[in-house]
Amino acid sequence: MDFMPIIAALKRQKTAAALIAIEIALCCAIICNALFLIIHRLERSSIPSGVPENELVRIQTTSVAEDPDVDARARAALQSLREIPGVQGATLINQVPFGRSSWNSGLRLKPEDKNTIVNATIYYGDAAMLSTLGAKLIAGRWFEESEFGDFATLLGAPDGEQPKIVIITRQLGQKLFGNENPLGREFAFGDVPVRVIGVLDHLVRPSIFDDATADCSLVFPVRMGAGYGAQYVLRTRPQDRDAVIAAAKKKLAEAMPNRIVLDTKGFDELRDENFKQDRVMAGLLIAVVVSLLVVTALGIVGLASFWVQRRRRQIGIRRALGATRGQILRYFQTENFLIVTVGIAVGMAAAFGISGWLMHHYELPRLPLYYLPVGAVALWLLGQIAVLAPALRAASVPPATATRPV
């Protein structure tokens, strides 16, 4: 098909064609970034935790009166929790995956280094932590009983008495040592060198600040007391959860009368709460994308219908001169394709610019380039579908009718 008549016709309708091209450009720029943000949020909310979430329950307690024997009572309560029918494991740790409140520290390879390599979250756990959480140890070993210390004792101890061994996640090992084997390697925790004795496959952070460090966790051999935000974690079958929680509340009330239960939640519930805003944002962005596509399609339909109405005489003359319905149909589709292409070209540049602005101001990753052709193809298809009905009406106009005065 000769494009020159189409371009000449568009030059006579500059304003209308420019408005559609601008609408397409805005739609392309917004949709490309919106689709990226939707997928990014959904991927973020499905990040692996490294633990069987539907089998784990967190129990938070708080003090209502001072108790000098609180740590001894906490350990007695922990033992009583392990004796509840249906409980497969119980531990007392400082924080839990997806728990939001987290203990974090910047890590360096050597104490004398000035700059931190990565920010990691710190888990303190007892001998039962690994089996209770169900985390997978992929290299090295777990701590031995003689290697554990009490948090209350270590709290005010000098650096020289802090734990010298640690277990890290695979992601943290890669951040610290690259592709080298982290077992036996040392890095600085504060001013204390610590040695890696084990590697976990995954153990997600309580609060995810950055996807690139979401799984950067380390575990120290420290037995927690009841204070300092320590939380009980029970492992049970999903069908036994309610019965176990009820029994656990009763056991804790008996063993620790000066403390009350604040909250009980399954780890799957903690995940849902943690990523609720991400899912809401994804839903809103999906609504924005759908609305933009509908508005853009209606704009194309309206303009094409207007042009068909104004060109009835021109269409009739072309039909009288031998133009087929297929040629008329292709004319309008090609005209729409050219307008949409101009809009897409401008929209791609705008999409990349918006991505850079979001990356600078909101610490989002750069828009991958493959989203641009995806958005372009979607808008090309939308344009062809939207113009199809007006183009078919134009192609069906009889020559005798079209040449009458209008």
Side-chain angles (χ1 to χ4, degrees), residues 208-337:
I208 300 174
F209 306 107
D210 179 9
D211 294 355
T213 60
D215 207 26
C216 285
S217 305
L218 52 87
V219 184
F220 282 113
V222 177
R223 288 185 290 262
M224 293 297 298
Y228 309 104
Q231 304 167 53
Y232 292 95
V233 176
L234 307 181
R235 186 172 183 179
T236 183
R237 296 184 304 173
Q239 59 268 32
D240 296 334
R241 178 186 291 183
D242 292 340
V244 165
I245 289 176
K249 288 181 178 179
K250 184 177 179 180
K251 290 283 188 181
L252 288 172
E254 294 173 353
M256 306 183 70
N258 291 334
R259 297 186 71 86
I260 60 173
V261 174
L262 280 180
D263 184 49
T264 58
K265 279 189 175 67
F267 278 32
D268 49 356
E269 296 173 302
L270 293 175
R271 175 191 280 273
D272 289 341
E273 287 185 359
N274 195 292
F275 294 111
K276 182 179 180 180
Q277 291 183 347
D278 293 276
R279 293 195 304 274
V280 170
M281 178 177 286
L284 290 174
L285 289 174
I286 290 173
V288 168
V289 169
V290 172
S291 300
L292 276 174
L293 291 175
V294 170
V295 170
T296 302
L298 291 176
I300 294 173
V301 171
L303 179 63
S305 298
F306 172 73
W307 280 353
V308 168
Q309 186 65 31
R310 293 197 59 180
R311 297 178 185 179
R312 289 175 62 85
R313 185 184 298 275
Q314 176 188 344
I315 295 169
I317 293 173
R318 290 197 61 192
R319 290 294 310 280
L321 293 175
T324 65
R325 291 185 177 184
Q327 288 174 326
I328 299 297
L329 180 66
R330 287 194 298 274
Y331 177 91
F332 280 95
Q333 288 180 317
T334 304
E335 184 179 68
N336 176 266
F337 181 83

Side-chain angles (χ1 to χ4, degrees), residues 20-94:
I20 292 297
I22 293 172
E23 184 179 12
I24 292 292
L26 290 173
C27 186
C28 180
I30 295 173
I31 284 177
C32 286
N33 282 282
L35 288 175
F36 170 60
L37 290 175
I38 290 168
I39 294 175
H40 177 262
R41 292 292 177 175
L42 294 178
E43 288 178 346
R44 175 187 172 91
S45 63
S46 61
I47 188 171
S49 63
V51 299
E53 297 165 31
N54 62 341
E55 299 179 10
L56 297 172
V57 176
R58 180 197 68 177
I59 302 178
Q60 286 182 306
T61 65
T62 189
S63 175
V64 294
E66 290 189 9
D67 185 353
D69 298 324
V70 63
D71 288 346
R73 291 181 185 275
R75 295 192 182 95
L78 184 60
Q79 184 57 40
S80 66
L81 292 175
R82 290 170 179 157
E83 297 169 357
I84 295 175
V87 172
Q88 300 172 351
T91 187
L92 186 62
I93 58 180
N94 63 319

